[in-house]
Amino acid sequence: MKTVRGHGVDGLLIYDHQPGKVTIYTMDKKVGSKLTTESKEVKSKLLHSSLDKLLEDAAGKLDRPV
């Protein structure tokens, strides 16, 4: 699906930080796609580098062109 300007969506990433755990939920743009998760245990804060890695791992699950 693309907008009039040619912009499209490859999928959805949702960031959820609960005490002790950060979870990234992902879903492909295809109708009927399953929600998948990528999680990391944390004490209080997640390092930027760890967040980057978590987002990369989560986005890697999306069916999208590279």
Side-chain angles (χ1 to χ4, degrees), residues 37-54:
T37 61
E38 195 70 36
S39 298
K40 180 159 180 68
E41 300 293 324
V42 294
K43 290 184 179 177
S44 61
K45 294 184 179 181
L46 188 64
L47 296 173
H48 292 115
S49 59
S50 295
L51 177 59
D52 287 346
K53 175 75 169 101
L54 191 61

Side-chain angles (χ1 to χ4, degrees), residues 14-30:
I14 300 170
Y15 173 85
D16 181 28
H17 189 158
Q18 298 294 322
K21 188 175 187 181
V22 171
T23 303
I24 305 293
Y25 297 92
T26 59
M27 183 183 288
D28 276 333
K29 65 180 175 182
K30 296 176 186 173

Side-chain angles (χ1 to χ4, degrees), residues 3 9 12 14 21 23 32 52 54 56 60-65:
T3 65
V9 174
L12 175 69
I14 300 170
K21 188 175 187 181
T23 303
D52 287 346
L54 191 61
E56 286 175 10
K61 294 181 177 182
L62 296 174
D63 181 21
R64 61 188 173 87

